[in-house]
Amino acid sequence: MTSPLVELNNISRHFPGKRTSLFGPPETVRAVDGLSLRINRGEVLSLVGESGSGKSTVGKALMRLTDLTAGEIVFDGQEISRFDRARMRPLRRRIQMVFQDPYASLNPKASVADTLAAPLEIHEPDLTRAQRQDRVADILETVGLSPDFAARYPHEFSGGQRQRIGLARALITKPDLLVADEPISALDVSVQAQVINLLLELQQRLGLTILFISHDLSVVSHISDRIAVMYLGRVVEVAPAEALFRAPRHPYTEALLSAIPEPDMRARRKRMILKGDIPSPVNPPSGCSFRTRCPYAIAECANARPLLEPAGPGHLKACIRDDLDLSPALTSDT
Amino acid sequence: MSTAEPKPAAPPVLQVSDLEITFNTRAGPVRAVRDVNFQIAKGETLAIVGESGSGKSVTSLAMLRLLPGAPFCKVSGQVLLSHEGRQTDLVTCSADDMRAIRGRHASIVFQEPMTSLNPVHTAGTQIAESIRRHIGLGQRAAMERAIELLDLVGIPDPRRRAASFPHEMSGGMRQRVMIALALACDPSLLIADEPTTALDVTIQAQIIELMKDIQARTDLAIIFITHNLGVVADVADKVMVMYAGSPVETAPVADLFERPLMPYTRGLLQSVPRITFSASRGQPLPAIRGTVPSPLALPQGCSFGPRCDWFLSGTCDADTPLLQPVQRGHDVRCHRCETILKELAIQ
Amino acid sequence: MSNATLAPAAPRIRLFQSPALRRFLRHRLAVIGTITILTMVLLVVIGPWLMPFEPTSTNIRNRFLPPFDSTHLLGTDPLGRDTLTRLLHAGRISLAVGFAVMILSMAIGIFVGTVAGFYGGALGAALMRFVDAMLCFPPIFLLLAISALINPSVISIIILISAASWMEIARVVEAQVRSLKERDYTVAAEALGARDRRIILREILPNAVAPIVVAATLNVANAILAESYISFLGFGVQPPTPSWGNMLQDAQGYLRSAPWLAIIPGIAITLAVTSFNFIGDGLRDALDPRMENR
């Protein structure tokens, strides 16, 4: 096996929160807190978590849109977490991003051609105008839009079409890694499938590596090779997709799987309902951060922060209880 | 709530007939909703499913007269609400009657609790205020009742939480307060407009469980508006699927998921990714092509026609199909329904 | 995924049917304001060429003629100069001061606001506190104090008024830039490795045009008013060069005997200032798409 494309080693991103007293130091919001993850070449790795889990911050950190508090990011063998803008610039063409809200991610005052030509002007300044236009037409066709759309403006498009334009902007520089931050959650249900299909098709055709950030486990099950589950700024379980659904090893994963509403009357399962809300990332619980909501918590859980340990082939979990028999989302017959 | 067995005949809590909503826009009148007919009995949950622009939210707002009035918007048809042995038509009743009914006999819960709660009053005050206005309890008694309600909706330490302001609570907590507020006067109908869409999955599961639990205890009729078919399978007894402003299929929930007949419903159900690791994994999802039409430019004939795999030129684009019963309790708006049924029988 | 799966996008919107223009044309007062300003500009540009009098040519025999005299349409002043001629020449000065101040204060305001909003941090805070400090001085005293010290000319008046009026624009721009900087499309440009200049010129400023244009329009109105103030108080444009402000000053002594000498330039100032304010209001509504259905 070759080296992974990306390695996130023990990364943390802390934000200053609000001040509790006039002269006291501000609180620390631990959005990402000691997270390690690797993304292999050509795979779709999904990062799943609820709001406040820090999953979007991981994406931003990897894009170097936010600085790390600690840890390192290794991209294709280079440690990039301390690179300045000038050194980052040539790498940017290799790491691209698709945003959640297709209405906010396109400049309303720029035509599609302007938006799509911008990456080329930055990274391939030697191209002639005609060459740029050709590339724009090509990429529009790649994402399933007519090249005639180049002269139009974002407000003339529907949400699904805009998301295709966003995808085209990300892919026009032929990146190696695509960070997709909830790319379909703002779209209409009947349009979501179109965009998922497009992502999958392009991933296979272009050999992309994708970090897919999502809160929707059904979508994730459809497209991922591996899945990482995040809770309060840490990864609590990583596994090949099928293994995660068939044999989850962390109680939080079990709860997440059980909470997915499935559009199927036969697949009704007994729900496991978690108590309470996600604790504040300002002062997360000691030891295992999930223990306050975990139905299987024992006294030892408060002692130390559990590390990610092997729990099967390619399967890691951060839970000290090895004796649990957690219910899967899938039984062997499905 | 989730059992699909037919319930004994009870007078419907709400009966909606020929509801039609027209907005007057600069580009001319736009019929946002038309042909809405349904009824809902005590203890029953009707899910209205649709995408943005399908008219599902407008329908719910119109039922409680929460839309801007004339000249911006015109509502016609009948919305009969049974309460205290009487029936009131919510389309034509006086503004005073409407105020007395809203929050008392019929309540609504919205998607975003932060904007529906008043940020300058505590949770307890807001609930108590509604109780005092409608039932006329004293201040102290109303506050006690408010605390009981907060307890009922599963808020821990309700006495302390009653004194909290909305911004001091999490999203899930606020939605619980909204539900407590909606239930304050023991209404017979609750309209829930995407109540879980803004919440995380684990919190969504909590809220759904809560609503089922309350319904089991109070025999409340619930209209649950959502775009999430998974949630529908979980909560509904009956389902009404809306597309481009009109209902296209209504059926008991089990029927709808077992045997969807309208091509739009079929496409919608197929295009939702499911947890599966069978051969279909990694294959393209069967997607519905195209996008939802603008209400300003609906296609001729069947409004789903241009996106439909069963589209038959000369039939589907000729006239608008009617919502017709195909099986017991199962109505479909489709010209090609018979053909689809036959093909399903062969498979 | 074929092209056939996509509905055609809406037809392109041409300028004459642009929604912003349509909203503007619906704003009756703004349209009247625009017509008034255009007429005034036209009059002061070509008017003086058509007048048979010079603004400085005195005629002792025809002093204090009331308006609607057979040769002097708007009458004459205490020195027998033709009021209409002087009004048109003064309009050139006053309107020119208004527009020049607008351009200069926009340049300063946009620069300061963009730098402060985009880079933020200590530099941004320092710049904006400086703006706040400038705003603390009542502008009229600032103008009077400085103009008393220097030898006033049209150029120095323009610089002075600009120095006292760029702060509002800086504030508007700073707030816009700070919010537009957080938009996803700006973040996307950053993720592409775009340089600051590109992000500012391509992503941020084009989307801040609406509030800047509105502020600029109101700025012209305020500049015309400011010039009138200080000229009226005698520290502005110096006689014999006429401006609407110093025409008012000249009329001071004759309010009872020849009130039209004050009323005529007064009307000109009021007309220009209210017209610009109406245009500003109209633009504010026209450039805000949320006003579409009002």
Side-chain angles (χ1 to χ4, degrees):
Chain A
M1 206 170 128
T2 52
S3 64
L5 183 63
V6 178
E7 276 180 87
L8 305 177
N9 292 328
N10 212 11
I11 62 166
S12 293
R13 175 65 175 119
H14 297 173
F15 296 99
K18 52 176 187 272
R19 240 172 251 279
T20 42
S21 67
L22 185 57
F23 296 108
E27 293 174 327
T28 306
V29 180
R30 298 163 191 276
V32 177
D33 199 22
L35 170 141
S36 298
L37 198 62
R38 34 199 292 170
I39 308 174
N40 299 319
R41 285 166 207 273
E43 78 170 345
V44 179
L45 173 72
S46 289
L47 194 57
V48 176
E50 298 182 89
S51 53
S53 63
K55 56 187 192 300
S56 288
T57 309
V58 174
K60 285 230 169 75
L62 174 53
M63 295 296 304
R64 287 297 319 280
L65 292 170
T66 184
D67 285 326
L68 288 185
T69 309
E72 55 177 21
I73 300 170
V74 180
F75 178 79
D76 202 12
Q78 298 181 76
E79 209 285 291
I80 62 168
S81 68
R82 306 285 182 277
F83 273 21
D84 60 16
R85 286 180 84 177
R87 286 186 75 192
M88 252 336 269
R89 195 162 291 125
L91 281 172
R92 296 239 179 243
R93 67 173 295 175
R94 302 181 57 195
I95 315 176
Q96 272 304 312
M97 183 162 185
V98 184
F99 293 82
Q100 171 172 10
D101 183 352
Y103 290 87
S105 61
L106 297 178
N107 182 349
K109 293 280 161 69
S111 70
V112 172
D114 293 342
T115 296
L116 296 183
L120 297 178
E121 286 162 13
I122 295 166
H123 293 292
E124 296 172 56
D126 300 338
L127 291 184
T128 64
R129 208 183 158 74
Q131 284 172 315
R132 272 205 301 271
Q133 281 170 352
D134 285 350
R135 289 277 292 277
V136 168
D138 283 352
I139 199 76
L140 278 173
E141 237 164 303
T142 307
V143 299
L145 293 173
S146 156
D148 304 340
F149 287 0
R152 298 191 180 178
Y153 285 81
H155 69 89
E156 299 174 52
F157 295 95
S158 68
Q161 289 171 322
R162 285 171 185 229
Q163 202 56 302
R164 286 167 194 263
I165 298 168
L167 195 55
R169 170 177 59 195
L171 295 180
I172 199 166
T173 58
K174 304 185 176 133
D176 301 316
L177 174 70
L178 185 68
V179 176
D181 189 356
E182 301 261 17
I184 63 158
S185 63
L187 302 178
D188 264 329
V189 192
S190 74
V191 178
Q192 288 187 351
Q194 294 173 1
V195 175
I196 297 175
N197 289 345
L198 177 66
L199 259 179
L200 274 177
E201 184 208 313
L202 293 176
Q203 191 258 333
Q204 278 153 17
R205 201 164 92 205
L206 309 175
L208 279 174
T209 305
I210 298 182
L211 176 65
F212 189 87
I213 300 170
S214 177
H215 69 279
D216 187 337
L217 274 160
S218 345
V219 172
V220 159
S221 79
H222 191 79
I223 70 163
S224 326
D225 295 304
R226 289 194 306 137
I227 299 172
V229 179
M230 270 188 88
Y231 188 77
L232 271 185
R234 298 167 191 177
V235 169
V236 295
E237 183 165 7
V238 198
E242 189 162 355
L244 191 93
F245 283 90
R246 287 202 193 281
R249 299 299 304 275
H250 194 283
Y252 178 61
T253 312
E254 182 195 30
L256 265 187
L257 294 177
S258 141
I260 310 169
E262 271 255 64
D264 196 336
M265 298 304 289
R266 282 165 302 185
R268 310 308 300 282
R269 289 158 283 134
K270 179 74 196 114
R271 273 279 160 72
M272 165 184 172
I273 306 281
L274 282 183
K275 292 190 296 283
D277 293 315
I278 299 187
S280 153
V282 172
N283 38 22
S286 64
C288 171
S289 51
F290 184 58
R291 73 184 163 83
T292 50
R293 299 172 79 196
C294 180
Y296 312 106
I298 51 175
E300 284 81 353
C301 291
N303 292 348
R305 179 172 160 178
L307 298 172
L308 275 173
E309 303 166 338
H315 199 145
L316 299 170
K317 59 141 186 172
C319 177
I320 55 169
R321 294 202 55 178
D322 292 322
D323 53 327
L324 297 175
D325 181 23
L326 302 176
S327 50
L330 286 172
T331 43
S332 51
D333 55 305
T334 41
Chain B
M1 170 163 173
S2 58
T3 51
E5 289 147 29
K7 307 213 165 167
V13 173
L14 187 77
Q15 179 152 15
V16 175
S17 349
D18 298 324
L19 185 68
E20 180 169 314
I21 304 163
T22 309
F23 287 101
N24 286 318
T25 67
R26 214 158 280 285
V30 174
R31 278 207 298 174
V33 169
R34 60 202 172 283
D35 266 353
V36 175
N37 290 286
F38 64 84
Q39 56 180 46
I40 175 168
K42 259 189 177 176
E44 203 175 31
T45 300
L46 168 76
I48 304 183
V49 189
E51 301 178 80
S52 54
S54 63
K56 58 186 194 304
S57 286
V58 177
T59 305
S60 71
L61 294 174
M63 286 188 287
L64 292 190
R65 269 225 318 254
L66 293 169
L67 291 172
F72 302 107
C73 166
K74 188 172 154 289
V75 178
S76 65
Q78 217 182 23
V79 177
L80 281 181
L81 179 79
S82 307
H83 58 96
E84 295 168 332
R86 288 185 291 137
Q87 282 200 319
T88 309
D89 184 353
L90 303 185
V91 174
T92 53
C93 71
S94 72
D96 282 343
D97 285 352
M98 193 67 231
R99 261 192 296 278
I101 284 170
R102 228 187 265 141
R104 171 71 186 87
H105 301 292
S107 300
I108 188 160
V109 174
F110 293 105
Q111 173 175 345
E112 197 16 89
M114 194 63 210
T115 51
S116 350
L117 287 171
N118 188 334
V120 301
H121 293 302
T122 63
T125 317
Q126 296 188 50
I127 300 171
E129 166 61 24
S130 169
I131 297 172
R132 286 175 57 199
R133 194 173 57 223
H134 287 297
I135 304 183
L137 285 183
Q139 188 139 16
R140 189 172 295 253
M143 188 52 94
E144 281 307 312
R145 171 91 178 114
I147 292 166
E148 262 172 54
L149 280 161
L150 289 177
D151 191 34
L152 175 81
V153 296
I155 288 181
D157 198 358
R159 195 162 293 276
R160 193 172 62 83
R161 275 298 170 188
S164 305
F165 289 93
H167 69 265
E168 296 171 317
M169 303 178 182
S170 67
M173 195 87 85
R174 275 183 225 132
Q175 200 56 292
R176 285 174 191 269
V177 171
M178 274 306 294
I179 292 173
L181 185 58
L183 298 178
C185 304
D186 202 10
S188 38
L189 174 70
L190 176 69
I191 300 175
D193 188 354
E194 302 258 13
T196 61
T197 305
L199 305 175
D200 280 315
V201 270
T202 58
I203 310 297
Q204 167 171 289
Q206 290 174 356
I207 297 289
I208 288 174
E209 213 54 34
L210 169 71
M211 292 183 65
K212 285 184 182 181
D213 179 52
I214 288 169
Q215 188 176 42
R217 282 198 255 170
T218 60
D219 234 9
L220 190 65
I222 299 181
I223 297 178
F224 200 106
I225 292 157
T226 182
H227 68 276
N228 186 330
L229 289 160
V231 171
V232 171
D234 210 349
V235 303
D237 298 311
K238 287 196 298 192
V239 186
M240 177 164 94
V241 181
M242 289 188 73
Y243 183 78
S246 51
V248 293
E249 183 160 9
T250 59
V253 66
D255 270 14
L256 189 94
F257 284 93
E258 285 286 314
R259 239 172 195 284
L261 291 175
M262 164 78 191
Y264 173 64
T265 318
R266 299 180 65 80
L268 211 53
L269 278 167
Q270 282 166 356
S271 67
V272 179
R274 287 149 208 260
I275 302 172
T276 166
F277 289 93
S278 55
S280 69
R281 192 182 117 74
Q283 295 300 306
L285 288 163
I288 304 178
R289 58 175 186 253
T291 48
V292 182
S294 149
L296 284 166
L298 287 182
Q300 272 285 316
C302 174
S303 42
F304 187 62
R307 303 177 71 189
C308 184
D309 288 335
W310 299 79
F311 180 77
L312 192 64
S313 179
T315 306
C316 296
D317 51 4
D319 52 359
T320 311
L322 300 173
L323 192 68
Q324 284 169 327
V326 175
Q327 284 158 344
R328 217 177 99 84
H330 195 152
D331 298 354
V332 181
R333 184 192 297 277
C334 180
H335 285 304
R336 311 224 48 218
C337 190
E338 295 299 321
T339 326
I340 294 171
L341 258 180
K342 267 185 213 134
E343 290 207 12
L344 284 179
I346 294 165
Q347 277 167 15
Chain C
M1 201 64 53
S2 70
N3 290 332
T5 62
L6 291 160
R12 287 228 38 197
I13 291 172
R14 286 178 213 92
L15 181 66
F16 60 83
Q17 40 181 225
S18 108
L21 185 62
R22 205 181 60 226
R23 284 193 292 267
F24 185 79
L25 292 179
R26 225 158 60 202
H27 201 295
R28 209 166 290 151
L29 289 175
V31 175
I32 295 175
T34 313
I35 294 171
T36 312
I37 293 297
L38 288 179
T39 315
M40 281 179 122
V41 169
L42 201 69
L43 280 178
V44 304
V45 169
I46 60 167
W49 300 95
L50 307 177
M51 295 302 294
F53 308 101
E54 282 299 310
T56 48
S57 62
T58 55
N59 184 343
I60 300 300
R61 266 164 301 176
N62 284 337
R63 300 168 65 212
F64 293 116
L65 284 182
F68 308 116
D69 178 82
S70 52
T71 45
H72 301 281
L73 185 60
L74 293 181
T76 55
D77 72 357
L79 299 175
R81 297 176 294 195
D82 180 59
T83 308
L84 180 58
T85 309
R86 284 181 60 77
L87 190 75
L88 293 174
H89 277 273
R92 276 187 177 180
I93 301 291
S94 291
L95 289 178
V97 168
F99 284 111
V101 166
M102 184 260 282
I103 290 167
L104 193 58
S105 57
M106 285 251 289
I108 306 173
I110 291 176
F111 179 76
V112 173
T114 308
V115 170
F118 190 79
Y119 293 101
L123 175 66
L127 283 173
M128 290 324 285
R129 293 301 79 76
F130 177 64
V131 168
D132 291 345
M134 292 287 288
L135 280 170
C136 286
F137 292 105
I140 192 70
F141 291 125
L142 197 67
L143 289 173
L144 292 179
I146 304 176
S147 50
L149 294 176
I150 59 165
N151 185 25
S153 70
V154 172
I155 301 290
S156 67
I157 295 292
I158 290 173
I159 295 174
L160 267 182
I161 302 178
S162 303
S165 61
W166 58 273
M167 293 85 77
E168 281 302 329
I169 293 179
R171 273 195 165 179
V172 169
V173 173
E174 193 259 354
Q176 281 291 315
V177 170
R178 201 150 31 90
S179 102
L180 292 172
K181 203 183 131 191
E182 304 296 322
R183 295 288 163 89
D184 277 355
Y185 54 80
T186 314
V187 176
E190 210 183 319
L192 283 168
R195 288 166 209 271
D196 292 349
R197 205 172 63 109
R198 185 188 183 93
I199 294 178
I200 290 170
L201 294 180
R202 301 276 286 264
E203 314 290 337
I204 293 182
L205 286 184
N207 287 291
V209 163
I212 294 177
V213 167
V214 173
T217 322
L218 302 180
N219 202 267
V220 181
N222 288 336
I224 292 174
L225 219 48
E227 183 274 325
S228 306
Y229 282 155
I230 48 178
S231 297
F232 176 72
L233 294 173
F235 296 104
V237 178
Q238 294 300 307
T241 312
S243 87
W244 289 339
N246 66 25
M247 283 178 76
L248 273 181
Q249 190 203 14
D250 292 346
Q252 255 190 115
Y254 315 102
L255 279 179
R256 274 165 192 278
S257 53
W260 62 87
L261 288 179
I263 292 172
I264 289 167
I267 289 176
I269 293 170
T270 313
L271 218 53
V273 170
T274 41
S275 296
F276 275 114
N277 281 329
F278 287 149
I279 296 174
D281 277 357
L283 285 172
R284 194 196 316 266
D285 292 356
L287 296 172
D288 181 357
R290 282 171 303 178
M291 297 301 294
E292 181 56 41
N293 294 317
R294 294 289 145 86

